[in-house]
């Protein structure tokens, strides 16, 4: 499948180029790969030693999270980017928090299933979230409840992941609709 595109940017280029479906897919692979690198770099700050400066932490946070980022906790509470930054900075400031990446799975066009392990002193827990990315940054994340109490008939973690994936598709459909494209 080949498509003709005209590149019109701020410098008003008028050259034409041909892209293939493979090249279009490569863009998305690159975007999710760049997000994974930013996530791994961010997680490296939480090594349990608290040896990163607040400026470096803020730089990593800004690299990972979009300016319009929202986080939906498993209890339904929605946190803004600023609230997430404060919460994460306090975890780092308290020191001793160690975060490890358990899995990173691409489950949709720009949808990633991420599971993290957190260890703080004697407390160990996991956090699983389905994240929608745009421009190589997380724009929304929905925490998945994997507790045994929440795994009733239909509300299994798998169905919660699929529901979050559908929400990702709706978000992306709206995002595509905001840009004037000739698709």
């Amino acid at each position: 499948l080949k498509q003709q595109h005209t590149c019109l940017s701020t410098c008003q280029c008028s050259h034409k180029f041909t892209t293939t479906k493979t090249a279009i897919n490569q863009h998305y692979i690159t975007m999710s790969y760049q997000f994974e690198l930013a996530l791994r770099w961010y997680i490296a700050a939480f090594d349990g030693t608290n040896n990163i400066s607040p400026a470096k932490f803020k730089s990593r946070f800004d690299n990972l999270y979009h300016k319009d980022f929202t986080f939906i906790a498993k209890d339904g509470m929605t946190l803004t980017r600023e609230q997430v930054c404060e919460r994460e900075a306090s975890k780092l400031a308290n020191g001793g928090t160690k975060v490890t990446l358990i899995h990173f799975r691409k489950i949709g066009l720009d949808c990633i299933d991420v599971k993290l392990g957190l260890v703080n002193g004697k407390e160990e827990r996991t956090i699983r979230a389905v994240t929608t990315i745009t421009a190589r940054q997380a724009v929304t994340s929905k925490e998945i409840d994997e507790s045994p109490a929440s795994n009733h008939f239909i509300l299994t973690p798998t169905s919660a992941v699929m529901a979050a994936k559908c929400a990702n598709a709706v978000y992306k459909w709206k995002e595509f609709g905001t840009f004037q494209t000739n698709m």
Side-chain angles (χ1 to χ4, degrees), residues 1-5 17-26:
L1 176 67
K2 292 190 175 196
Q3 299 172 340
Q4 284 283 344
H5 297 281
F17 61 96
T18 303
T19 60
T20 63
K21 190 171 182 168
T22 305
I24 293 169
N25 288 341
Q26 186 64 37

Side-chain angles (χ1 to χ4, degrees), residues 17-127:
F17 61 96
T18 303
T19 60
T20 63
K21 190 171 182 168
T22 305
I24 293 169
N25 288 341
Q26 186 64 37
H27 167 73
Y28 292 112
I29 291 170
T30 302
M31 187 164 57
S32 63
Y33 178 70
Q34 290 172 345
F35 173 75
E36 182 180 3
L37 290 177
L39 177 66
R40 289 179 183 275
W41 192 46
Y42 180 76
I43 289 172
F46 295 95
D47 62 356
T49 62
N50 192 16
N51 62 354
I52 186 170
S53 71
K56 284 185 180 179
F57 171 74
K58 182 68 172 152
S59 172
R60 291 180 185 192
F61 184 87
D62 291 340
N63 192 35
L64 183 63
Y65 295 107
H66 192 268
K67 63 182 174 75
D68 299 326
F69 177 75
T70 57
F71 178 80
I72 303 166
K74 59 185 169 187
D75 61 3
M77 184 174 64
T78 301
L79 300 174
T80 64
R81 182 180 193 271
E82 292 75 27
Q83 292 169 323
V84 171
C85 184
E86 290 173 13
R87 188 175 77 170
E88 299 294 319
S90 70
K91 285 181 186 176
L92 185 65
N94 291 338
T97 302
K98 182 168 177 56
V99 179
T100 55
L101 182 62
I102 296 172
H103 75 241
F104 182 95
R105 296 181 181 135
K106 186 171 180 177
I107 60 172
L109 181 62
D110 292 332
C111 189
I112 311 293
D113 178 12
V114 178
K115 188 171 185 177
L116 303 172
L118 282 81
V119 177
N120 192 350
K122 294 180 181 178
E123 179 188 1
E124 289 186 35
R125 65 187 193 113
T126 60
I127 295 177

